[in-house]
Amino acid sequence: MAVFGCAGCGAVLTAAVSKVALPIHLADTHWETLHPPLLEAGSYAVDPAPYGPPWRQMDEVGARAAAERGRFAPFGALSDGPSDTVLLAPGDMRGTGLIIERAGGYCMGIDGRDGPNLACLACDLPVGTRMDDCGCWQVVRLVPQEVVRLPGPPERPIMGWAEWLATGALWHRLSEYLDIPAGVALAQVVVAAGGAPVEVAPGPVAELLGRALGALLPAGEGAKRLDLAGPGFGEPATDLVLVPVHPQTGDMWQPRDGAVPVPMDAALWAELAFPPHRTRLPVLGGLPTGVERDDPLPPHPWYRQPSREAFRYTLARMPAVREPWLRAIYDRGC
C-alpha cells in the first residue's frame, strides 16, 4: 500500500491507501447537492488527464492540442495543470492544512478553482487540492510533483469477481447518484452501436437505458441487441453486453461468445444484475372497524434517466465523437 509524503520535507501526508481503478463515474453533476467521497476510505487512484488551473477554452487551444489533453469535443474548460494527480478520500489526509485564500467555491464548499489549497503543516508546501462543493465528488487531488511515495504495509490482494459478489462489496454508497455511471454507460453503448439501432432486452436495462437509446439512435432493421453479462449472471446470446469494470484493476469482465463488451461501473452493474431484495415491514395488530388501509405503493426501482452531463462528459473524451453522426448526437444532448 502507499503512504504519500511531502516532497519538500518528507512529512507523512496520508494514511496507508491501496490503489484502485479510476472511477468510471468521474463526471460531476447534481448541483445544489453535496456528494459523497469519490473514493472509498483507504484507497487512491491516479487521473492521467490534466487537472487544475490555468483553465482555457477549447477554441483557444485548438482541436489538436485539445485532443492531446484527451478532449475531442467542447465540454467546459480545458486544464493546463498537471497530469497524473493522485485522488483520495478527504478523510485519508494527514498533516495538511487549508490555504484559506485558495478556498473559493460555489455555495456549499470548496471547488478547487484556485489550484492547490492544501499545504504541508511541516513546511507550508502546497501539496494538493481539496474539493467538496455541491456538484463535486468529495476528493483530494495530490500534485504528483509535490509528493513522494513512502514505504507502506503490504498491498491488498486483488479480489476475484466471486469474492466481490459474495461479500456484497459492489453495493455501496452511490445509491441516488447511480444516474451518473448510467450516463457514462449510455455513452459507451451509443459508441459501441456505431450508429445502428439498439434493441434492449426487457428488464432493468430497458428501464434504465431503453428510452434514452430510442431517442438517440435510429429505429429500423439491423438492430443490435443489448443485455447484461458478467460474473454469476451468464452470457445471453446478444450483440452488445454491459459488463462490469473491476473496481481494483479497471479491467472489463470479458465475454466468451464474441459479443462486444460495453464497460459499466461495477456497482451499477450489480444493481441491475442482482437487484437488492427489498421487503415491506410486517404490520402487527389490526385497524379499528371502519378504518381503511392507506399503505404507500411498493418502492419503485431507483431507475431514472441517465445523467445528461455524464453522457456528454464521457462522449467528449472519446475520439469517436469526432465522427459526424456521433457529433450530431453529442450536440443534441441526451
Side-chain angles (χ1 to χ4, degrees), residues 50-74:
Y51 192 89
W55 303 94
R56 303 171 67 187
Q57 295 302 315
M58 189 167 177
D59 56 3
E60 294 180 60
V61 302
R64 177 177 296 181
E68 292 173 353
R69 293 167 170 80
R71 191 76 58 83
F72 305 96

Side-chain angles (χ1 to χ4, degrees), residues 247-266:
Q248 289 174 287
T249 66
D251 296 332
M252 284 192 298
W253 186 88
Q254 292 295 324
R256 296 186 298 271
D257 63 359
V260 175
V262 180
M264 174 176 272
D265 173 80

Side-chain angles (χ1 to χ4, degrees), residues 92-114:
D92 283 328
M93 293 302 298
R94 306 287 187 269
T96 59
L98 190 64
I99 304 172
I100 299 301
E101 57 269 24
R102 295 184 181 179
Y106 176 60
C107 67
M108 296 184 179
I110 307 164
D111 63 10
R113 66 181 66 182
D114 301 315

Side-chain angles (χ1 to χ4, degrees), residues 236-324:
T238 188
D239 304 296
L240 307 173
V241 286
L242 289 162
V243 299
V245 174
H246 196 284
Q248 289 174 287
T249 66
D251 296 332
M252 284 192 298
W253 186 88
Q254 292 295 324
R256 296 186 298 271
D257 63 359
V260 175
V262 180
M264 174 176 272
D265 173 80
L268 174 57
W269 180 88
E271 181 85 17
L272 298 176
F274 307 106
H277 180 59
R278 300 181 176 94
T279 59
R280 301 174 68 187
L281 295 175
V283 176
L284 300 178
L287 293 174
T289 303
V291 176
E292 297 182 358
R293 300 189 67 90
D294 189 24
D295 292 336
L297 294 173
H300 190 274
W302 67 267
Y303 311 133
R304 53 175 175 257
Q305 288 301 297
S307 164
R308 178 179 180 273
E309 290 300 301
F311 172 77
R312 299 186 77 247
Y313 175 97
T314 305
L315 280 187
R317 287 156 176 79
M318 301 178 75
V321 78
R322 294 178 292 193
E323 298 178 22

